[in-house]
Amino acid sequence: MKDARDIIKRPIITEKSYDLMNDNKYTFEVDKKANKIEIKKAIEVLFSVKVNKVNVINVRPKKRRVGRYEGFTPSMKKAIITLADGQTIDRFEV
């Protein structure tokens, strides 16, 4: 297994992800090659919580333009983690 810090890249902080936190769900950008089992183990090791469910989303690149220059946003993999009842990740609390 890879190191947990290599699998979990960063948390995703948006309005939608903040709304999901009320349902005990947290959103992270993860390594593209990681599977659900590896993601679950990495979250449990890094944050010392019990994970109930992992949902994974492959985000496709989108075409963007700045002036006359065209390009694509990078593709990424997102994971929505559902924690067990009573569990929270303290670093996210406002």
Side-chain angles (χ1 to χ4, degrees):
M1 183 178 138
K2 300 180 225 174
D3 185 39
R5 289 181 194 88
D6 293 335
I7 294 174
I8 307 300
K9 293 185 177 181
R10 66 183 180 93
I12 296 177
I13 309 296
T14 60
E15 288 181 25
K16 188 173 183 178
S17 69
Y18 265 117
D19 288 341
L20 287 174
M21 283 184 209
N22 295 330
D23 298 331
N24 218 14
K25 295 181 181 182
Y26 296 87
T27 309
F28 295 92
E29 180 181 344
V30 296
D31 184 41
K32 289 182 188 177
K33 296 178 182 175
N35 60 34
K36 289 183 178 187
I37 297 165
E38 292 173 336
I39 294 167
K40 179 179 178 176
K41 288 179 183 176
I43 292 291
E44 288 177 346
V45 167
L46 286 176
F47 298 108
S48 301
V49 293
K50 174 78 173 93
V51 176
N52 275 355
K53 190 173 172 184
V54 177
N55 294 72
V56 176
I57 305 161
N58 282 310
V59 180
R60 293 173 38 196
K62 296 185 178 86
K63 195 171 188 179
R64 293 287 180 242
R65 205 177 105 194
V66 178
R68 65 180 184 170
Y69 302 103
E70 289 185 353
F72 287 89
T73 60
S75 63
M76 68 173 178
K77 191 175 209 179
K78 290 194 303 189
I80 299 175
I81 310 298
T82 305
L83 299 181
D85 291 337
Q87 301 273 318
T88 58
I89 296 177
D90 295 333
R91 296 182 185 127
F92 282 86
E93 302 305 319
V94 179

